[in-house]
Amino acid sequence: MKRILYIIFAAVTISSLLFSCEAVEDRETLPAVTLTPSTLKFSVTQNPSNKNQITLKSDDPTVIPYWKYVDASGNELGHSNKSSDNVVLPFAGKYTVYFTALTRGGSVDGAPVTVTVDENDETYFKDPKWEMLTNGVAGKTWILDMDSPVGWAGLDYPGASGDNWNWFPDYAGNSWVMANKNWGEMSFNLNGGYNTSVTQTAISSNVQTTKKGTYGLDLINNKITFNGGPEMLYGGDYYLDCSNWITVKLVELTPTSLRLAVIRDKSRTGEGVCLIVFHYKPKPNL
């Protein structure tokens, strides 16, 4: 978490320096941190009519808020930097919410807040896409679809306008996109929590690494977020072209097809920013 906070604060500091005529003086005269845990102005409130819903609110406009919420086992379920945010905790259990205020002079951690949820919120999973992705409690495992494992698209794809082009080549005529091998697998389930496991095969060998954690499925913004270590399953030599393999775009989801995309923002060959879209299919039951 410290690394994340340093990155966020560095970005704020750099932005300030870019627009300053006397950058050195500004850097050397950063104000001392006057906030303390007891003077932080934030709240974590459960909805009285639905204890599965909580509201996170920072009441100090002079700070950048950073929230993180974890389950009773310490698994990170999500994070936010919004001044006001609503979070749904659909599973019964105890959760801890952490708040950090970022200022120009440093950061201050608030006292953790414990939230108790008495029962599951079954209505939260009524959208059929949950079942498509996870197969509920039983779980579902996805592997790369080597008939068309990867493609490229505009940042707005699959929107109706804007930068919404796409090219999803077949593998038979475009085997250059990646080696044809077992690239690993990616599993999701709802067995008492948002559980995920990603087994990734190395680019230049068949060595595999498995990481387990949690995930978040945001159906409103079409995003999946991996927490606690795992990253999105990929194939081919694309990893260094993208800076973020944790928060990814949900491009397509049906019972038999899943497309997830990362942003190519660090192209090593000078190509423009776009989506790299990986295509998955359910792993056959053997």
Side-chain angles (χ1 to χ4, degrees), residues 247-266:
T247 301
V248 302
K249 186 172 185 177
L250 176 61
V251 173
E252 177 185 89
L253 177 57
T254 73
T256 59
S257 179
L258 171 65
R259 293 185 194 269
L260 299 179
V262 291
I263 299 176
R264 185 180 67 194
D265 56 357
K266 298 175 63 177

Side-chain angles (χ1 to χ4, degrees), residues 154-165 249:
L155 296 179
D156 297 323
Y157 183 82
S161 60
D163 184 20
N164 64 350
W165 59 271
K249 186 172 185 177

Side-chain angles (χ1 to χ4, degrees), residues 141-146 181-187 197-202 206-210 233-235 280-281 283:
T141 299
W142 299 86
I143 59 176
L144 278 171
D145 185 341
M146 291 306 297
K181 68 177 186 178
N182 174 10
W183 286 100
E185 60 186 40
M186 180 170 56
S187 301
S197 175
V198 179
T199 297
Q200 180 67 57
T201 304
N206 291 323
V207 174
Q208 292 186 323
T209 303
T210 299
L233 175 67
Y234 66 89
Y280 311 91
K281 63 181 181 180
K283 182 180 180 180

Side-chain angles (χ1 to χ4, degrees), residues 152 167 169 171 173-179 238:
W152 292 263
W167 182 50
Y171 189 79
N174 299 274
S175 59
W176 56 268
V177 298
M178 67 177 67
Y238 300 101

Side-chain angles (χ1 to χ4, degrees), residues 34-257:
T34 57
L35 292 173
T36 65
S38 62
T39 60
L40 292 177
K41 298 178 181 179
F42 73 97
S43 61
V44 178
T45 308
Q46 281 182 280
N47 185 338
S49 60
N50 186 345
K51 294 297 182 67
N52 299 85
Q53 299 176 355
I54 62 173
T55 298
L56 312 177
K57 190 175 181 181
S58 171
D59 293 315
D60 187 345
T62 67
V63 306
I64 298 175
Y66 179 82
W67 308 89
K68 182 179 77 169
Y69 36 100
V70 304
D71 63 17
S73 299
N75 298 310
E76 182 178 343
L77 302 179
H79 53 268
S80 171
N81 63 353
K82 296 181 179 180
S83 295
S84 181
D85 206 354
N86 295 311
V87 175
V88 176
L89 302 172
F91 300 105
K94 287 189 176 182
Y95 302 87
T96 304
V97 179
Y98 297 91
F99 173 77
T100 299
L102 303 174
T103 73
R104 290 190 64 201
S107 62
V108 180
D109 294 326
V113 178
T114 300
V115 175
T116 300
V117 177
D118 297 324
E119 58 186 22
N120 293 347
D121 181 4
E122 301 295 342
T123 62
Y124 183 74
F125 302 108
K126 64 182 180 181
D127 192 303
K129 287 185 177 180
W130 282 101
E131 181 70 18
M132 293 177 190
L133 178 69
T134 70
N135 192 29
V137 173
K140 191 170 184 177
T141 299
W142 299 86
I143 59 176
L144 278 171
D145 185 341
M146 291 306 297
D147 288 338
S148 177
V150 67
W152 292 263
L155 296 179
D156 297 323
Y157 183 82
S161 60
D163 184 20
N164 64 350
W165 59 271
N166 74 88
W167 182 50
F168 298 149
D170 67 293
Y171 189 79
N174 299 274
S175 59
W176 56 268
V177 298
M178 67 177 67
N180 188 357
K181 68 177 186 178
N182 174 10
W183 286 100
E185 60 186 40
M186 180 170 56
S187 301
F188 303 92
N189 71 56
L190 293 172
N191 187 10
Y194 306 97
N195 308 303
T196 187
S197 175
V198 179
T199 297
Q200 180 67 57
T201 304
I203 295 172
S204 58
S205 72
N206 291 323
V207 174
Q208 292 186 323
T209 303
T210 299
K211 295 182 179 181
K212 297 181 179 181
T214 62
Y215 68 94
L217 174 60
D218 183 346
L219 293 175
I220 296 177
N221 297 301
N222 293 313
K223 293 181 180 179
I224 291 180
T225 302
F226 295 86
N227 303 305
E231 295 180 312
M232 189 187 87
L233 175 67
Y234 66 89
D237 187 15
Y238 300 101
Y239 189 80
L240 295 179
D241 290 323
C242 307
S243 62
N244 186 350
W245 293 83
I246 296 175
T247 301
V248 302
K249 186 172 185 177
L250 176 61
V251 173
E252 177 185 89
L253 177 57
T254 73
T256 59
S257 179

